[in-house]
Structures are given as structure tokens and as C-alpha cells.
Amino acid sequence: MAAKPGAATPTYSPKIVGRSRLPIFKDSDLDWSRPDGRGFHQCRPALLQTGAVSSASGSAYAEFGNTKVIVSVFGPRESKKAMVYSDVGRLNCNVSYTNFASPTLGQGTDHKEYSSMLHKALEGVIMMETFPKTTVDVFALVLESGGSDLSVLISCASLALADAGIMMYDLITAVSVSCIGKSLMIDPVTEEEGCEDGSFMMTCMPSRYEITQLTITGEWTTPNINEAMQLCLDASSKLGEIMRDCLKQSASASDE
Amino acid sequence: MAAKVSVSPTSLLNQIVVPGDVVLDLSNMNNQTIKLGSGLLQDNDAISAMRAGKLSYSKPNKYWLESSHKRYIPRPDDHVLGIVVDSRADNFWVDIKGPQLALLPVLAFEGGTRRNIPKFEVGTLLYLRVVKTNIGMNPELSCTEASGKAALFGPLRDGFMFETSTGLSRMLLNSPTRPVIEALGKKLSFEIAVGLNGRVWVNATAPRIVIIVANAIMNSESLSGTQQRIMVEKLLAIISD
């Protein structure tokens, strides 16, 4: 079915249907409502599950609203590359998107920036000295991108590492906040991320009250940063409890 | 949001704990020496869990986390099932499902000398004992007991090997005998070798016995003692029909 040398290669593209849609945010601050009907300080419902991938040492599946991710942890295992001796372990993180993760077709790619940020968030919580000369591989796959992808990935990766039995100081939870106008919105969806003035993401260890990563982009005032931090800390402690319950359930199931 | 410190050392015993949970508060325990096993870490006056598992205690003063994982972390004197992956002049490289391949010296056999070096093909299944697990080095194995006798160690011929979690293999080796093994042993005759690395080898006269034993063990992980006995009865009823 090859095309003739002179002829143009046939292509097809999805038909774009014009849809009349109300703007997400109206002009007045007071009239704003979120696309999914949540309050400004309300997170999406979270579904967490461990042991999703049977071939991995540990794995977890997370679903926060429309954001669906799956993380697999392999190792500790001997490094494939002939690297120099290291008395601490190595952490290798890879974040990729499926082709169908976002409405734009054919966008399934490795996300280098997210991979780096996931590594930064996790390396502070893992006891690297417990697996010298070896590597722990964390492979994260975004099945559906519905906003706040990185924060969901980090929380899910933490759960997968705990499921794999990797020694950790604590679980880590990540929460993101968007600043739109004068309002702060916790756990933003894709539409909100598209028109935000600034984003704030905090990764912390809820039990130890320590922050492993803090990312701020865009325009922020000091009072807004303080408020966002309080929102994130509060949400992190609640998310931490959900993650703990999930781990305890899976541990007790295998312990009976 | 600060960690909840347990007031008494017994409050979390036999409970499931997860990373970050404070399991013991040392400020309340005066003049006591305690021994910490795997999965626990001292952080000033608090003992924290480093992984998910059940907090266990043995008298007089030992605390550790009992957990089940797919990966095995080698410990000295563990009995494991290994697969030969490479053969060298002085040693065999053996896969024991750990972070690194393990070394089995060619002289680590009963009466091992340069004259009678054993020959194992790649893929041979061996029952072994872990001798050394120094940090930064590959674990060292042996096919003898500490006394130098071969005892149960050596190659496992025929049979069927399957993989389970490290938690289940530990339960199978625990005393008293796990109900599933006890119930199967009353009605069927078979050989079984369990490695702490989550590998189990089963051999019997008929293949169907091997299949039944393997399936019963694999299904028993999340079942209670009574449920295990009921499952075995159902399996035996099927083959007797």
C-alpha cells in the first residue's frame, strides 16, 4: 500500500468540531467556579493501590480525579553500565506519557524535566547507603493527564518505593497549588494550569515535618506563598494518612 | 502533623507500621538496652520504621519489622535457592534474587579440593547457605554447613521451582509447620526445599502432585490457617474424583 513516488503521502487528521463553551473563570473574582465544581481549597478524590505491576519489585497506581498514573520500581539491582564503585546506591527515574494521555494525539514521550524533578524529590527520602553498588529504577507512566501530574507522580512513586521495601525515612506526599488572580486553588486540573499566573508545588515528609522539594513558578506575593505553604502542608498530612492506610492494607493482606 | 510518638513500647507490637512511623520512644525507657533488627532506625530518642511491615518483638529486648517483598536482601546463614548463571575458574556466579549476583567458590563443597571441582551447567538449581554479605561486595555462598558437611545442600535435580514473596518463604520455614504443608503432607508424599529468598522447589513421583502442592503453597499466602486446610481439602477432593 505504498504511495507512488510522485504522489503526496495521504494523511488524516481529527475533525475539530467547534463547541460553544463557557469560560472557566468569569471576570469577577467572586463568581469564579472550578471546572469540576470543587471549592478552591478542596482536593480531588484520591484512589491509591499498590502491587499493580506483578513483574516489578514494587508498584503503585494512583488516580486523582482524571489524572491516572502508574509507577513501577525495579531493584535494587546491579547497574547495567560499568560504572565506578559507589558506596551509596543510585536512583534512576524516568517519567513518560502514553500516546493517549492528553487530548493532543501522538504526544507520548519521555518527560526529561519531570524525570529530573521526580529524582530530586525522591533522593532525599531514600536511604541510599543501604544498597551500595546497585541501582533502583523508578519508571513512572502517566496514563491520563488531568492536571497536577508531577505531584501525583511523586506521591505514587513514594508508595511504589515503600511497596518494593526500599528503606525510606518517611513516605513523601506532593501537593500543588495554582495562583489565578487573587485566588489560590489547590490540586489544579489541566484547564486551571493553562491559565494560571503562578504555580507552587511542595513535596514533604508528613511524619517528620520536612520538605524535600519546593517549586515556585510565576508571580507570587509573600502572603500568597505563606498561604499556599499552609494549604500544602495541611493537604499533605491528609494525603499521607490515605497513603498510610493503603500501605497498611496491602501489608496486612500479605501478612495474614 | 508531627509524628505521633507511642507512649509505651507495647502499643504498636504486632501492628502494621509504615515508613516514618515512630514505633518506640526511648525517653520513656530508662536504663534499657534494646536490639534493633531490620527495618528500624534510631533517630535521637525515637525509633522509626524504615519500611512497611509488622512490628515484632522477642524477649528480652529485640525489635524488628516482619515484611514481605519480592526482592531478597541476603543475610549470613540464610538458606537460599540459587541458579547458576556463569561458571569461572575459581567460582560460580549464582542468582539468588538479590541486588547482586552471589559468588560460590568451587572449593565451598564437602571435601572440595582442586582435584574434584564440581561441574554445574548454567541453569542448575542449587540449595545453598549464605556465608558473607559484606557491604559493597557480592554475597558469598557455600554448599556446606558451618561444620563443613554437605548435609542438605547441593544441586536439586528434577522437580519444579517457583517463586513466592520472601514473607511466604519465611512463613513456610517457621515453626510450627504452616497448615498448608501439614495438610498436604498427611495425604501426599513429596519433597520440598524452601529458600529464604522466595524460591520454593517441589518434587514428587507424579507431576500432578507437584502441580497441586505448588498451587496450594502459592495460594496460601493471604489465607488463614483454617482457610488453608479447607483449600487443601478441596484440592485433594478434585484429584481423588
Side-chain angles (χ1 to χ4, degrees):
Chain A
M1 215 180 87
K4 290 171 190 170
T9 312
T11 60
Y12 66 91
S13 57
K15 189 179 177 184
I16 296 161
V17 182
R19 279 178 287 185
S20 60
R21 187 173 158 192
L22 292 167
I24 300 165
F25 304 113
K26 300 186 177 71
D27 296 334
S28 166
D29 279 2
L30 300 171
D31 294 336
W32 283 8
S33 63
R34 300 183 74 172
D36 49 7
R38 281 182 292 145
F40 285 5
H41 297 174
Q42 192 181 348
C43 293
R44 291 174 291 182
L47 168 75
L48 297 164
Q49 190 184 329
T50 57
V53 181
S54 58
S55 59
S57 303
S59 59
Y61 170 76
E63 197 173 301
F64 285 57
N66 285 340
T67 305
K68 299 176 179 73
V69 303
I70 196 160
V71 179
S72 307
V73 173
F74 293 88
R77 55 187 180 184
E78 270 187 306
S79 190
K80 294 280 188 287
K81 299 169 190 169
M83 292 185 186
V84 290
Y85 173 79
S86 168
D87 56 359
V88 294
R90 290 183 183 86
L91 179 66
N92 173 38
C93 297
N94 182 269
V95 176
S96 54
Y97 278 68
T98 56
N99 287 334
F100 47 84
S102 58
T104 321
L105 287 175
Q107 293 296 306
T109 52
D110 285 0
H111 208 299
K112 294 269 167 39
E113 187 188 354
Y114 277 10
S115 301
S116 171
M117 289 173 86
L118 178 63
H119 183 278
K120 280 275 187 287
L122 295 177
E123 69 178 348
V125 82
I126 298 172
M127 297 177 72
M128 300 284 203
E129 63 278 8
T130 58
F131 48 94
K133 259 176 80 179
T134 54
T135 305
V136 169
D137 296 310
V138 178
F139 296 110
L141 180 67
V142 179
L143 300 172
E144 188 178 342
S145 173
S148 305
D149 297 344
L150 184 60
S151 56
V152 177
L153 280 168
I154 291 168
S155 302
C156 189
S158 160
L159 208 57
L161 285 163
D163 184 49
I166 305 295
M167 300 280 263
M168 303 161 72
Y169 293 109
D170 193 3
L171 293 173
I172 52 172
T173 56
V175 180
S176 57
V177 170
S178 274
C179 175
I180 301 175
K182 294 172 188 172
S183 303
L184 295 183
M185 298 186 179
I186 198 163
D187 200 13
V189 294
T190 312
E191 292 97 320
E192 290 163 347
E193 285 181 331
C195 57
E196 67 190 5
D197 298 323
S199 71
F200 179 104
M201 191 195 74
M202 193 175 77
T203 305
C204 75
M205 304 189 217
S207 295
R208 298 168 76 94
Y209 212 68
E210 289 176 19
I211 292 171
T212 64
Q213 190 185 40
L214 184 65
T215 311
I216 304 173
T217 57
E219 296 174 25
W220 285 87
T221 60
T222 307
N224 271 3
I225 287 176
N226 290 338
E227 191 187 341
M229 195 169 275
Q230 285 307 314
L231 277 172
C232 286
L233 284 170
D234 185 46
S236 287
S237 67
K238 287 169 184 168
L239 178 57
E241 286 305 313
I242 296 168
M243 288 167 71
R244 284 180 139 65
D245 290 342
C246 172
L247 263 181
K248 282 177 181 176
Q249 277 178 0
S250 64
S252 58
S254 65
D255 197 65
E256 280 170 7
Chain B
M1 206 176 81
K4 297 176 185 72
V5 177
S6 61
V7 178
S8 70
T10 54
S11 61
L12 284 172
L13 281 184
N14 296 319
Q15 300 287 316
I16 302 291
V17 292
V18 297
D21 283 356
V22 175
V23 296
L24 281 172
D25 184 12
L26 299 181
S27 59
N28 298 340
M29 301 169 71
N30 297 327
N31 302 323
Q32 283 188 40
T33 305
I34 61 168
K35 289 181 182 175
L36 298 181
S38 65
L40 297 173
L41 179 85
Q42 183 180 350
D43 188 9
N44 296 326
D45 270 354
I47 305 291
S48 305
M50 294 288 108
R51 60 168 180 244
K54 187 167 79 173
L55 181 66
S56 303
Y57 167 77
S58 77
K59 290 178 181 177
N61 55 5
K62 279 186 189 172
Y63 292 90
W64 74 96
L65 279 186
E66 197 82 56
S67 54
S68 177
H69 299 292
K70 289 178 188 170
R71 297 296 292 182
Y72 164 68
I73 305 298
R75 300 263 183 271
D77 280 329
D78 279 359
H79 294 186
V80 296
L81 287 174
I83 298 167
V84 177
V85 294
D86 196 9
S87 174
R88 296 283 164 89
D90 293 333
N91 47 54
F92 298 101
W93 287 100
V94 182
D95 169 36
I96 56 167
K97 231 172 108 173
Q100 298 153 309
L101 292 177
L103 283 167
L104 173 63
V106 291
L107 303 178
F109 295 85
E110 188 176 1
T113 61
R114 283 275 167 208
R115 295 243 174 141
N116 59 347
I117 289 171
K119 286 184 172 64
F120 295 130
E121 289 179 15
V122 171
T124 306
L125 185 68
L126 303 170
Y127 194 52
L128 305 153
R129 181 174 67 91
V130 180
V131 180
K132 289 180 195 168
T133 57
N134 297 331
I135 286 179
M137 289 170 63
N138 294 66
E140 195 177 307
L141 307 171
S142 173
C143 250
T144 62
E145 286 182 333
S147 60
K149 293 276 188 286
L152 306 164
F153 302 110
L156 298 171
R157 312 274 182 214
D158 306 321
F160 169 63
M161 191 272 289
F162 59 95
E163 297 196 353
T164 66
S165 67
T166 55
L168 177 58
S169 61
R170 205 179 299 111
M171 282 187 247
L172 291 170
L173 290 167
N174 274 356
S175 185
T177 313
R178 192 154 166 84
V180 67
I181 300 287
E182 205 175 304
L184 287 165
K186 283 177 183 173
K187 298 279 164 62
L188 305 171
S189 60
F190 59 91
E191 284 181 280
I192 185 167
V194 181
L196 275 167
N197 57 339
R199 284 190 176 135
V200 182
W201 173 83
V202 179
N203 193 18
T205 50
R208 68 176 186 165
I209 295 173
V210 174
I211 293 163
I212 280 168
V213 172
N215 284 339
I217 290 168
M218 280 191 270
N219 295 338
S220 74
E221 183 163 11
S222 56
L223 301 178
S224 65
T226 314
Q227 287 171 323
Q228 287 173 42
R229 289 187 189 93
I230 293 165
M231 176 191 64
V232 170
E233 281 170 23
K234 284 181 180 175
L235 283 171
L236 294 172
I238 291 165
I239 60 159
S240 61
D241 291 345

